[in-house]
Amino acid sequence: MEYNPIVWLYAALQWLLDILFSPAKPQPGISLTRPKIVVIGAGLTGVSAASHIIGHGFDVHIFEGNGKDKLGGIWSRVNNTSGLQIHSIMYRFHPSVRFTGGYPNREQIVDQITKLWKRYGLENKTTFNLKVTSTKKDSDGLWIINNDPSLGRFDGLLPAIGTCGDPKMPHLEGQSDFQGQICHSSQLTGQTAEGKNVVIIGGGASAVEGLEFVVHTNAKKTSVLARSDKWIIPRNAIVDTILALNIFGEETILSWIPEKLLRLFFYRDLEDLAPRTGTGLFSGTPMVNNDVFNLVRSGKADWLRGDIIRLTKNGVLFNKRARGVPQGGPGQHIEISADMIIMATGYHRPSLDFLPDAVFESPYEPPAWYLQVFPPDDPSICANNCTYNNAIGTVGSYHIGIYTRLLLVFLVDPLARPNPWWAKRWIDFTSFVKRKSPKGAFEFFTYSELIYWFCFCIAIKPFRWKWAPFVFFGAMSWLPRSIVRQEDRLRHDWTGKHIDGKNKKQNGVGKKVE
């Protein structure tokens, strides 16, 4: 394997990206400067964002509500058999990441997050087992966490709590009657499905966890029970990249082309599993998986759309619906035998309710924020990767660094900061452009659309032009530090002169009194 030229080239590419774009590791004893950022969450996004902040010479502190064993966020909680759905070249959440294969598993991803955390000296910048429940600004405009100044005072606030919290485990009618095993899709480590009939309830991203598990443990037969139709796209970096090139981030008059090609070349004989015509690819996050069709074609799995009626002693009573029939509509009632039921029912979404109430005022409430992560009235908040719903493209890659550096720019350069009125106009404009999107302007985006947002953000305001190399590539990192030093020097000089003048006046008065 080590002599495979593609693997060697991929390793060389990662080495080059690390050399060119990774911020410098902080040297021992280095004095970090303001602005100081508080990062909430020690998952993939939180660790990556904090490493960018500290790598550019600014101070940071991470608060994580769980213990150190949860470093890595959702990846610390999923199964060992879980891995990337998309190719790892599209999952480079930091330039220094070094993956050894195209589709690393959970342990390899957590290992890279941990190495990044240590590489940038974040061990001493992280507080575990402290849940952030409130945030507010003090009289100096600095952020206070949990109403406790002893925890620090911060110039910027970067929530990085992600979109996946605790497992969602609904109770099904007849659940107490079922004599087999019931597990959530995230709780399969140490379990086995060998020789068992397995039912996976759910047809979204969590179903992929279940499918990976049954493939690895040689289940006898698997039935995936999905309530609604969902697009499935190949586990292919080239195909996934091409699909992400839709810069409009919504269905267009040309969207039928990739959808038709997927039906023709990927679904092929299983075209009935594809969503009915009119259900757009660019309206929801697709499943990225090849195992589904391989298992169905081999007879080892069934993919059924319909509704769960109840659990029985030996399995699931199911209302099997034809394509196009809505949820709860008429269908055929069948009983599906099961020794094991995997609840692929997803995760509860973490709440941003620790933020001030003002950032939730309609109509500019998440996800309808500036660039989707900055509240229009307060760009000192950057909810990095917290407000997304559906997308096609890379995950946790280039944009984490860009959003983090934009936050730094907004904090150190008032002239580059978005004006609240104009920030709201950007939201209005984007909503107007995507007014025909089936789920609204900010419910779905492609990665190309995200890059367009960034370019527009820099281009629209001349005061931001000088920041382009820093924002996009982390280059010229001396610039924000230089501005901070000049501000501190001016502030010191002004304060010193102000104090000296005050003292001279007081001294003169004193002499006069004498």
Side-chain angles (χ1 to χ4, degrees), residues 82 93 98-101 103-114:
S82 296
F93 52 88
R98 303 281 185 94
F99 288 122
T100 57
Y103 298 93
N105 62 25
R106 171 254 181 197
E107 292 179 300
Q108 292 170 320
I109 296 169
V110 172
D111 178 66
Q112 286 299 308
I113 297 171
T114 304

Side-chain angles (χ1 to χ4, degrees), residues 61 67 70 126 142 167 189 199 208 277 283 377 382 432 473 485:
H61 197 90
K70 294 300 186 289
T126 305
L142 298 177
T189 297
V199 166
V208 175
T277 302
S283 59
D377 287 318
C382 175
F432 174 79
F473 308 109
R485 284 195 295 268

Side-chain angles (χ1 to χ4, degrees), residues 242-509:
I242 291 173
L243 293 176
L245 292 179
N246 177 349
I247 196 171
F248 300 102
E250 62 177 331
E251 289 289 306
T252 69
I253 59 174
L254 299 177
S255 295
W256 67 270
I257 297 175
E259 294 164 9
K260 180 68 174 179
L261 292 174
L262 284 172
R263 294 177 192 273
L264 187 61
F265 295 107
F266 187 54
Y267 283 86
R268 303 198 308 271
D269 55 311
L270 301 176
E271 201 272 340
D272 183 64
L273 299 185
R276 64 187 176 90
T277 302
T279 304
L281 173 63
F282 299 100
S283 59
T285 303
M287 287 179 61
V288 186
N289 193 267
N290 294 334
D291 292 331
V292 175
F293 296 151
N294 294 336
L295 290 169
V296 172
R297 289 189 176 105
S298 68
K300 293 184 178 180
D302 293 322
W303 184 282
L304 307 173
R305 68 173 64 83
D307 312 292
I308 306 293
I309 299 174
R310 59 171 287 122
L311 301 191
T312 66
K313 178 180 178 181
N314 298 313
V316 181
L317 186 61
F318 186 68
N319 178 42
K320 180 184 175 183
R321 291 184 273 106
R323 182 168 63 173
V325 177
Q327 294 182 26
Q332 178 187 10
H333 288 199
I334 59 174
E335 184 172 4
I336 304 169
S337 297
D339 305 304
M340 182 178 194
I341 294 176
I342 298 175
M343 302 290 285
T345 44
Y347 301 85
H348 293 285
R349 190 179 188 111
S351 174
L352 288 167
D353 60 3
F354 54 81
L355 295 177
D357 292 341
V359 304
F360 298 102
E361 292 180 357
S362 181
Y364 305 106
E365 54 192 332
W369 282 352
Y370 183 61
L371 302 181
Q372 199 163 340
V373 302
F374 294 98
D377 287 318
D378 195 341
S380 70
I381 300 174
C382 175
N384 211 335
N385 272 3
C386 295
T387 57
Y388 298 151
N389 291 312
N390 292 282
I392 293 181
T394 67
V395 180
S397 186
Y398 192 38
H399 68 277
I400 292 179
I402 290 179
Y403 274 135
T404 303
R405 289 188 290 270
L406 275 173
L407 174 62
L408 291 172
V409 169
F410 295 161
L411 291 174
V412 304
D413 187 355
L415 295 177
R417 199 170 297 156
N419 175 281
W421 191 87
W422 282 111
K424 292 174 182 177
R425 300 296 76 77
W426 179 88
I427 297 168
D428 295 339
F429 172 76
T430 303
S431 299
F432 174 79
V433 170
K434 299 182 69 174
R435 64 192 182 280
K436 294 184 179 180
S437 181
K439 293 189 176 181
F442 299 102
E443 290 295 314
F444 177 90
F445 67 88
T446 63
Y447 209 71
S448 296
E449 181 185 16
L450 203 60
I451 298 301
Y452 154 70
W453 289 356
F454 295 145
C455 293
F456 181 86
C457 171
I458 296 297
I460 198 66
K461 195 166 188 175
F463 290 113
R464 295 177 187 153
W465 293 355
K466 66 179 179 295
W467 291 108
F470 177 70
V471 169
F472 286 109
F473 308 109
M476 296 174 59
S477 60
W478 53 266
L479 183 57
R481 294 198 300 271
S482 174
I483 289 178
V484 168
R485 284 195 295 268
Q486 292 176 33
E487 288 180 346
D488 288 343
R489 189 180 302 115
L490 288 171
R491 186 181 295 105
H492 178 269
D493 291 346
W494 182 86
T495 304
K497 291 177 182 178
H498 178 71
I499 293 175
D500 288 345
K502 185 176 181 181
N503 288 341
K504 288 177 181 177
K505 185 176 180 181
Q506 288 175 339
N507 289 339
V509 171

Side-chain angles (χ1 to χ4, degrees), residues 43-61:
L44 177 151
T45 300
V47 171
S48 179
S51 71
H52 283 289
I53 295 167
I54 204 169
H56 293 307
F58 300 103
D59 206 355
V60 69
H61 197 90

